[in-house]
Amino acid sequence: MGSEMCIRDRAIRPANGGWERVTYSYLLRIVEDGGLGTQICLVYTFMVVIIKGRNLNAVADAIDAESCLFVQEYDSVRWQKPADASAPFIDSIEIHAERPADELAARGAAG
């Protein structure tokens, strides 16, 4: 396998809400904003994930190479903003699914 690391699935971690673990085999398309690095759209067979931020080209490349372990939204309660303005930074993650993880977690907690 060489020095390249291939990851079977990726975690999608919004700041407020349930996290999703999604197998790469469900990913149909990676849609970018024409090289601006401010938005990535991941189209899966059962959901769409919209990632917004800055300097996201490297993130899209890692997802395409199946070497991205997770994408995580910045949470101002947990972390200070990074000082490196050239580093990838995720402002928001929107998950559009038939049954989002938040809904499933709430159902589990309800009994």
Side-chain angles (χ1 to χ4, degrees), residues 1-108:
M1 188 157 134
S3 63
E4 296 295 317
M5 184 170 74
C6 188
I7 297 168
R8 190 176 144 269
D9 56 33
R10 139 190 357 90
I12 300 168
R13 301 174 176 176
N16 297 313
W19 292 0
E20 304 265 353
R21 291 181 187 261
V22 185
T23 303
Y24 269 99
S25 62
Y26 291 112
L27 181 62
L28 300 175
R29 296 173 54 201
I30 303 168
V31 182
E32 298 178 68
D33 58 1
L36 297 174
T38 60
Q39 186 167 304
I40 303 168
C41 181
L42 306 176
V43 181
Y44 293 92
T45 57
F46 54 89
M47 73 177 181
V48 174
V49 178
I50 300 170
I51 303 167
K52 295 180 182 178
R54 65 176 184 260
N55 307 317
L56 298 178
N57 295 329
V59 176
D61 291 343
I63 292 168
D64 187 46
E66 297 185 5
S67 62
C68 180
L69 183 59
F70 63 88
V71 292
Q72 185 155 354
E73 181 179 343
Y74 170 71
D75 183 348
S76 62
V77 173
R78 296 173 67 190
W79 306 296
Q80 293 182 357
K81 274 205 173 187
D84 184 357
S86 65
F89 183 82
I90 297 175
D91 285 314
S92 68
I93 297 175
E94 298 173 23
I95 299 174
H96 302 276
E98 288 184 34
R99 289 192 156 174
D102 296 356
E103 179 184 330
L104 295 175
R107 285 184 183 180

